[in-house]
Amino acid sequence: MTAVRTHPQGTTPPPRLPVREKSGARDRGGALSPMLTRLAAERATGVLERERGSLYLAEGRVVHAESPLAPGLDVLLLAHGTLAPAVWQDAVDRADEEYGAARLLLDAGRVPRGALELCHLEAVYDAAYFALAPSSTPGHFRYGAGHWLGALRPVPVAAVERETLRRRELLDRLWPDPLTDGAPLRRADAVAAPTPTARQGAVLALADGVRTAPDIARKLGRQAFHTLVDVRRLAAAGLLTALFPPPRAPKSPAAAGPGLPPRHALAATAATAAAEPPRGITLPRVNDPDITLLKRLRDALEAL
């Protein structure tokens, strides 16, 4: 027997509740940053600055990306001898709006175009993974801003977002705890754990309780995402554990005044703390003519 719901004549049934379709969001693009999608539709040129990185656009396509959490193109090129450090620095110093560093390197024959484009594409996807991470602050776009590297091979925004989503899903399947992505890492003693691969062994050797996954990636000259894959596999095997990040340093009090150098702010903090009386004690005015400051303070302490 099938139950059929009917509605009074002249009325319409309530609308269906919205359902999030993961595959549809992935195919449509724009699921990660509506602003980025709009800028791509506008064919905008400039830089989108977000909390964990920046995306450089030229006519609505991504031409470069960078993040403090991902090794830059220089690390990928220099770490394994693809390019000499002096050659790279010379190109960076001579780059301008007309001749970017990439064009200077290619025109001088310092690096094959295929190798440069491959390393650049890896750096773009690596940095974009962090730049497009969920953020607590809104992004900001600066129209007309360019990057000193210059354009190599532009990447469609939809392709960058699809790859970022794919990487998120892969990492979540390997180990669903994202704490390992940014917290200090330490080796763990596991029972009957699988033998780590050579790549994973290099990661374990640098997990000293201080370095994070991006730190290890930069030290090894590898992409941050590939290091995250190794880290999450090691965590799933019980060979690696993430420590809680250290507490943030307290902000300077207002008494220190805005714009003071750190050492001045520290001195002001110490002076303020030393001047605060214990609770329940009221200090007299320094110019009290009836009794000295020392005697009043002694009497107040004895009264507690």
Side-chain angles (χ1 to χ4, degrees), residues 30-281:
L32 299 179
S33 173
M35 178 183 290
L36 182 59
T37 302
R38 176 176 59 81
L39 293 169
E42 293 178 1
R43 300 178 62 85
T45 296
V47 56
L48 175 60
E49 298 173 339
R50 290 171 58 89
E51 185 177 15
R52 297 187 179 182
S54 302
L55 297 169
Y56 289 82
L57 304 181
E59 296 184 355
R61 292 191 169 196
V62 179
V63 293
H64 191 63
E66 55 188 22
S67 169
L69 299 175
L73 177 61
D74 55 336
V75 175
L76 301 181
L77 287 173
L78 304 180
H80 305 291
T82 305
L83 199 63
V87 174
W88 169 262
Q89 190 59 49
D90 178 67
V92 172
D93 294 339
R94 294 192 296 117
D96 53 27
E97 295 183 359
E98 183 177 0
Y99 289 92
R103 181 175 176 182
L104 292 172
L105 291 172
L106 293 175
D107 289 350
R110 297 294 189 176
V111 60
R113 173 175 287 274
L116 183 59
E117 290 184 351
L118 179 60
C119 288
H120 179 252
L121 186 62
E122 292 174 345
V124 167
Y125 282 132
D126 210 28
Y129 171 80
F130 296 101
L132 293 176
S135 173
S136 59
T137 59
H140 175 70
F141 188 75
R142 291 192 292 117
Y143 283 91
H147 194 273
W148 49 262
L149 180 66
L152 271 172
R153 184 178 292 275
V155 184
V157 165
V160 173
E161 292 195 323
R162 281 196 302 269
E163 177 61 17
T164 300
L165 286 171
R166 185 192 70 83
R167 295 186 176 201
R168 284 188 191 177
E169 294 170 0
L170 173 60
L171 292 177
D172 190 63
R173 289 196 305 269
L174 295 176
W175 182 249
D177 187 2
L179 181 62
T180 55
D181 293 357
L185 302 172
R186 183 181 63 188
R187 297 188 63 163
D189 296 327
V191 178
T195 303
T197 64
R199 285 183 56 90
Q200 294 170 352
V203 173
L204 282 175
L206 294 176
D208 56 359
V210 178
R211 293 188 180 95
T212 64
D215 295 334
I216 294 175
R218 192 171 287 105
K219 188 74 174 179
L220 295 175
R222 299 176 182 174
Q223 298 177 50
F225 173 73
H226 290 177
T227 305
L228 292 182
V229 171
D230 291 331
V231 164
R232 294 215 187 187
R233 283 176 172 161
L234 290 168
L239 293 171
L240 198 66
T241 183
L243 306 178
F244 287 102
R248 295 182 179 180
K251 295 182 180 180
S252 300
L260 293 177
R263 62 186 181 92
H264 292 165
L266 181 60
T269 303
T272 302
E276 290 181 355
R279 292 186 178 180
I281 299 178

